[in-house]
Amino acid sequence: MKRPLSGFLTFLTLTGKAEPDKSLQELKRDDSSRKSSRDDDDDDDVSFLTSSDLKSFKSSTFSLPEQKQAALFLHGPGQKYDLVEGHPVPELLSDRELLIQVTAIGLNPIDWKAPFVNPMKFPNFGRAHEYRLIVLAVSTDYRDYRKSAFQQFSVSTDFNVCRLPFHVKPDIGASLGVAFVAAAISLGICLGVNFAESPRGPTGPDLLALSHKLDPESLPQDIREECFRGMDEAERPKAGEWLAIWGASSATGFLALQLAKAAGLRVVCIVDVAKHGALLLETGADLLVDRLDTDRAVSIVRSVTKGKLRFALDTIGKSTASLLQSTLGTSTILGDSRAHLTGLTGLPAEKLETVRPHTVPIKLFHTAPSVGEQIMLWLEQLLKSKSIVLPEVIIQEGGLDGVNNALDILRKGEASNRRIVMPL
């Protein structure tokens, strides 16, 4: 069976420029000699392959033997995942796809819920989103079972992978992808934060401007409203404005805090201060508010922001999103400008005329190559420059056969906002 060289990811760690006239084995040998002669702790001089380098390999092919793999199947709602041997390795369907050998899986909070949903929505495959060999591949497309990480070989696209620098350990990298993408799109699309104007650290993309350049017909119908009409240019946040995050200790909230600070915003975090306060302060939070007394939390946020809060992000659910909505400014204070509330897992049942609710158009990442690629290139630079602190993880052994036990830990809430990573 012939597959494009955009398959196995060993070549993605090459330092220097790609040399498409060389064989895969020659490229591997060159890479090994380079890495053996360099200091692993000093990667300031690393020159990563670029997207154009990846495309230069497309004309080359290598042979992948006909082989089977182990994969997890979900046969019905409420059932455990079933480990099946002898399942076919997924096929590549376009020249932008990569075949990835999965060596670590990062479980996300939603993953434990999949077995309790009608399996027609999850086509008989697990759907953990993140997996890492030499790159971090991020899948937000649950409809394509080939991109599931619950198997030994998975498919990704060249605009949905991030090359990890040497100092980022595989187990940490596997926890990062979807949380970072969700944080970037929540802030950059829903709340209009312009990362291209970040006053510190590597500048990122202006995601809202990028999305406005897209053909609406190229995007799924259910995200067009959010991408094209969700945020007016005049209402975008300015440096020094407040952002409130309820659930900033979650992986997405933790990364959103850091991205917002890099963009010049002030951030108030509503969390369990006793458990998570120290880390959030070290990471840049301007104000911590304890979530245990919700009425007092709302009162503190309104007082500190003087009733002028325009931007809020909730990572927990409908009830906390409702509380967060009550911290936002009113029309008598904000005038014609609306407040904006983004809910990762739900929005308030009560709608207010002065508040524009937002749902995260996560599909934008895998349906718009220009957007996905810019997010991944930015993440690469943030990691290489050590400009972000990565979420805490729990290493859970057991491979694919241990996924059910790991999902039970998530379901019972025993992970305490940490991501579970499973080496394979």
Side-chain angles (χ1 to χ4, degrees):
M1 180 188 302
K2 291 285 188 180
R3 295 184 186 274
L5 187 55
S6 56
F8 287 115
L9 297 189
T10 47
F11 80 97
L12 286 176
T13 56
L14 291 173
T15 56
K17 285 293 183 179
E19 299 173 65
D21 56 325
K22 289 192 174 185
S23 69
L24 179 63
Q25 291 303 318
E26 288 173 317
L27 291 170
K28 284 183 177 179
R29 284 197 298 270
D30 286 356
D31 188 41
S32 297
S33 64
R34 289 187 183 101
K35 283 193 283 188
S36 64
S37 63
R38 67 187 305 279
D39 182 355
D40 287 341
D41 293 327
D42 178 16
D43 50 356
D44 292 339
D45 61 344
V46 172
S47 175
F48 289 109
L49 286 174
T50 65
S51 296
S52 60
D53 292 328
L54 298 185
K55 293 180 177 65
S56 72
F57 284 108
K58 298 299 184 181
S59 60
S60 301
T61 59
F62 70 95
S63 295
L64 178 69
E66 292 282 356
Q67 59 180 295
K68 304 295 183 179
Q69 63 164 337
L72 294 182
F73 277 71
L74 179 62
H75 297 294
Q79 298 183 18
K80 298 284 188 179
Y81 286 107
D82 182 27
L83 181 61
V84 175
E85 301 285 349
H87 189 74
V89 171
E91 294 280 350
L92 301 182
L93 302 181
S94 81
D95 63 359
R96 299 207 69 170
E97 291 188 337
L98 314 172
L99 182 65
I100 297 184
Q101 184 176 1
V102 181
T103 60
I105 302 172
L107 299 180
N108 293 286
I110 193 174
D111 293 320
W112 74 263
K113 301 177 183 179
F116 299 93
V117 180
N118 185 335
M120 290 299 291
K121 294 185 178 180
F122 303 93
N124 276 348
F125 247 87
R127 52 183 302 268
H129 299 295
E130 298 154 40
Y131 32 91
R132 191 261 191 199
L133 178 57
I134 295 168
V135 299
L136 168 67
V138 187
S139 175
T140 54
D141 187 1
Y142 66 83
R143 299 164 299 177
D144 190 344
Y145 74 86
R146 299 176 307 129
K147 298 177 181 178
S148 166
F150 285 178
Q151 53 187 329
Q152 291 174 309
F153 291 90
S154 184
V155 170
S156 186
T157 51
D158 58 16
F159 53 88
N160 286 163
V161 296
C162 167
R163 299 154 299 174
L164 297 181
F166 294 111
H167 67 263
V168 178
K169 296 180 179 179
D171 297 338
I172 302 299
S175 72
L176 181 63
V178 168
F180 182 84
V181 171
I185 292 180
S186 296
L187 296 178
I189 297 291
C190 301
L191 300 183
V193 177
N194 184 358
F195 301 118
E197 297 178 352
S198 296
R200 67 186 193 191
T203 57
D206 184 347
L207 293 178
L208 195 61
L210 271 179
S211 69
H212 288 174
K213 294 177 182 178
L214 299 172
D215 178 1
E217 296 298 320
S218 69
L219 299 181
Q221 178 71 40
D222 59 348
I223 68 170
R224 293 176 191 172
E225 177 70 23
E226 187 66 62
C227 292
F228 295 104
R229 291 176 289 276
M231 172 64 67
D232 293 339
E233 187 66 30
E235 292 182 349
R236 299 182 71 171
K238 300 173 180 61
E241 285 202 69
W242 282 101
L243 164 70
I245 303 177
W246 201 302
S249 59
S250 68
T252 300
F254 184 60
L255 291 167
L257 159 64
Q258 297 178 68
L259 299 184
K261 288 298 298 178
L265 300 182
R266 291 186 290 175
V267 182
V268 53
C269 299
I270 302 98
V271 295
D272 185 331
V273 174
K275 284 185 178 180
H276 309 292
L279 177 60
L280 294 174
L281 281 178
E282 291 172 3
T283 314
D286 294 284
L287 176 67
L288 299 178
V289 178
D290 203 310
R291 66 169 176 80
L292 299 184
D293 186 336
T294 56
D295 290 339
R296 181 163 175 76
V298 169
S299 176
I300 292 173
V301 174
R302 289 192 60 82
S303 175
V304 169
T305 60
K306 297 180 170 52
K308 299 178 181 179
L309 180 65
R310 292 201 300 135
F311 303 99
L313 170 64
D314 178 80
T315 72
I316 307 300
K318 288 184 177 181
S319 60
T320 49
S322 296
L323 291 167
L324 197 52
Q325 180 171 253
S326 64
T327 69
L328 293 167
T330 62
S331 58
T332 57
I333 297 176
L334 298 181
D336 294 333
S337 181
R338 297 174 299 175
H340 296 266
L341 170 65
T342 299
L344 290 184
T345 59
L347 287 165
E350 181 185 5
K351 307 299 181 184
L352 302 180
E353 290 186 6
T354 56
V355 177
R356 171 65 161 88
H358 299 266
T359 56
V360 182
I362 199 72
K363 294 177 184 177
L364 183 66
F365 177 68
H366 62 260
T367 57
S370 61
V371 174
E373 184 172 51
Q374 287 301 309
I375 292 175
M376 291 291 93
L377 288 173
W378 183 34
L379 176 57
E380 289 175 8
Q381 293 304 312
L382 291 169
L383 291 172
K384 183 181 176 183
S385 61
K386 302 181 182 180
S387 298
I388 56 173
V389 179
L390 304 187
E392 295 180 326
V393 302
I394 299 173
I395 305 300
Q396 185 77 11
E397 302 294 339
L400 288 175
D401 205 27
V403 165
N404 285 315
N405 290 336
L407 293 177
D408 283 340
I409 294 174
L410 285 177
R411 178 177 56 82
K412 295 174 183 177
E414 297 173 355
S416 186
N417 288 323
R418 292 172 292 174
R419 288 296 173 98
I420 296 179
V421 173
M422 305 198 65
L424 298 192

